Amino acid sequence: MKDTTRPIYFNSPGGVMGQALTIGRLLRVHGGIARIGRTIATACAAGSQFDDACFKIKTSGLEVEAEISTDRASCNSACSYMFFGATTREVAPDAVMAVHNPRLVPVGKASSEVIAALRDRSMVQVDLEQTSFIAAMGISRELGDLIETVKFENPHALTRPELYRFGIDTRTMAETAWTLERAEHPSVRKVVQTRIGNGSTFRTRQWRLFCENRERARLVFARESDTGEAGTVSVTLTAGSEKSLAFGKFPVFAGRYEVWNDTLAPNSIKTLLEAPRLQMREVFTAPDGKTNVSFVDIDNSGLGRGWAELLTSCPTTPGAGDHRVAGH
């Protein structure tokens, strides 16, 4: 590819480690950008992205209209070594990267004693090559130490703090696009993970926009609580510094999340859709009355399209589909 600034999206359960290392080194030479995501071709029927007809479309050599979905996409096992080779590495909050100890697969016939001896020698070589490769890609040796403890049969999905601490994805904020979720109560959903302070702890925030009817929407915001905080949090969603759109109330609690929800009138929906970025203003009030104000800026990519798709299943009559959502 001549355009090395175009990101490469991986979605794979794994494969052969030696080949993965080769591809990883190739990406490093060319300064590749790696992300995790699934290609959804619009010409393929729903639920048929992997059948023969869709595969023929994707490999036709022609330009194929498609979109990228990070939701439940994964790069596991050997795939992770390809991913490590990129100079820019980004793992979306709803994507997964899982690692485990490699396994030697004998080829051909040999006695159990010969296979055991070969396995011992080969695994020593694999461990050395793995350790060397991880270090060469600028990733912490802590990852190698972790991989040694993970059985092949039980992969470990790396958490956001691990992705950051090991140097795999060093962004202090990772966000998804707004994505339509087709469920019992369809919504357009966005997830953001931000670093807390100067350490490697992250907080997850999630927005869901529901269509109550053609004239009214409901926006639900869930914020991961800090169990060490003693105080209260209030939040306000704004589009620009002057346009307050939602919230400003106190939350309800659902497990480890604080949840706010608010109704949006037509003019607020219009402002929400037209804004290129939104801002969450969060005010923490300690028991002694002292306050700390923080802001989280979020991108609006995908919101307009997701809302347009959501409207196709939205009731036209006010009240026909109204429902209240708390802790959803």
Side-chain angles (χ1 to χ4, degrees):
M1 292 172 54
K2 294 180 180 179
D3 183 5
T4 58
T5 63
R6 184 178 299 177
I8 299 173
Y9 285 83
F10 292 92
N11 183 48
S12 169
V16 180
M17 184 174 175
Q19 296 173 359
L21 296 178
T22 299
I23 296 172
R25 294 187 181 104
L26 181 65
L27 285 176
R28 180 53 56 98
V29 169
H30 291 282
I33 301 171
R35 296 173 184 164
I36 300 175
R38 297 180 292 123
T39 303
I40 309 299
T42 55
C44 301
S48 64
Q49 290 294 318
F50 302 102
D51 64 15
D52 292 341
C54 188
F55 184 75
K56 186 176 181 179
I57 292 172
K58 291 180 179 180
T59 58
S60 65
L62 303 175
E63 185 172 296
V64 178
E65 180 181 333
E67 61 183 33
I68 292 292
S69 173
T70 58
D71 183 32
R72 294 184 293 274
S74 63
C75 179
N76 301 336
S77 186
C79 177
S80 63
Y81 293 97
M82 296 190 290
F83 192 90
F84 296 159
T87 52
T88 300
R89 302 179 289 252
E90 298 178 354
V91 182
D94 55 355
V96 175
M97 171 171 284
V99 297
H100 59 62
N101 237 330
R103 180 178 65 178
L104 180 66
V105 180
V107 177
K109 296 181 179 180
S111 66
S112 58
E113 293 80 6
V114 170
I115 290 176
L118 176 61
R119 178 179 286 111
D120 290 342
R121 292 197 303 270
S122 297
M123 291 307 297
V124 169
Q125 180 61 36
V126 166
D127 289 343
L128 290 174
E129 191 168 11
Q130 172 184 280
T131 301
S132 174
F133 180 83
I134 287 174
M137 297 303 113
I139 295 172
S140 170
R141 62 178 298 173
E142 284 186 81
L143 175 62
D145 295 339
L146 170 65
I147 290 174
E148 288 183 5
T149 68
V150 179
K151 293 182 178 180
F152 180 86
E153 299 79 10
N154 189 26
H156 170 75
L158 296 172
T159 64
R160 177 61 53 181
E162 289 172 334
L163 290 167
Y164 180 82
R165 191 171 72 249
F166 298 155
I168 298 169
D169 185 345
T170 57
R171 295 175 297 166
T172 57
M173 174 176 170
E175 60 182 318
T176 68
W178 290 85
T179 306
L180 178 66
E181 287 204 338
R182 304 182 187 276
E184 182 181 356
H185 297 296
S187 66
V188 188
R189 173 175 173 261
K190 184 181 183 68
V191 182
V192 171
Q193 292 174 322
T194 56
R195 187 174 64 146
I196 302 174
N198 296 319
S200 59
T201 303
F202 282 73
R203 171 173 285 140
T204 299
R205 296 172 175 84
Q206 180 175 233
W207 294 258
R208 287 182 183 270
L209 183 64
F210 295 88
C211 173
E212 295 198 338
N213 56 62
R214 297 275 177 151
E215 299 296 322
R216 191 172 71 188
R218 180 160 295 276
L219 183 62
V220 177
F221 171 62
R223 175 184 183 270
E224 195 172 17
S225 303
D226 185 343
T227 55
E229 284 182 342
T232 59
V233 178
S234 62
V235 301
T236 307
L237 177 68
T238 62
S241 58
E242 302 298 328
K243 298 178 181 178
S244 177
L245 294 177
F247 310 128
K249 308 169 184 177
F250 290 104
V252 296
F253 292 88
R256 58 193 180 95
Y257 283 89
E258 302 160 289
V259 182
W260 291 258
N261 76 84
D262 213 344
T263 301
L264 300 183
N267 60 333
S268 294
I269 296 173
K270 184 174 184 293
T271 301
L272 182 76
L273 297 176
E274 291 178 349
R277 297 191 69 82
L278 300 170
Q279 186 177 82
M280 291 297 300
R281 180 177 184 267
E282 302 179 358
V283 181
F284 172 73
T285 304
D288 61 4
K290 292 182 179 179
T291 61
N292 179 49
V293 182
S294 60
F295 299 90
V296 179
D297 290 320
I298 60 174
D299 186 74
N300 248 8
S301 297
L303 179 58
R305 181 174 60 183
W307 176 251
E309 291 184 55
L310 188 61
L311 279 178
T312 61
S313 61
C314 186
T316 57
T317 305
D322 293 358
H323 61 275
R324 297 293 179 263
V325 181
H328 192 87

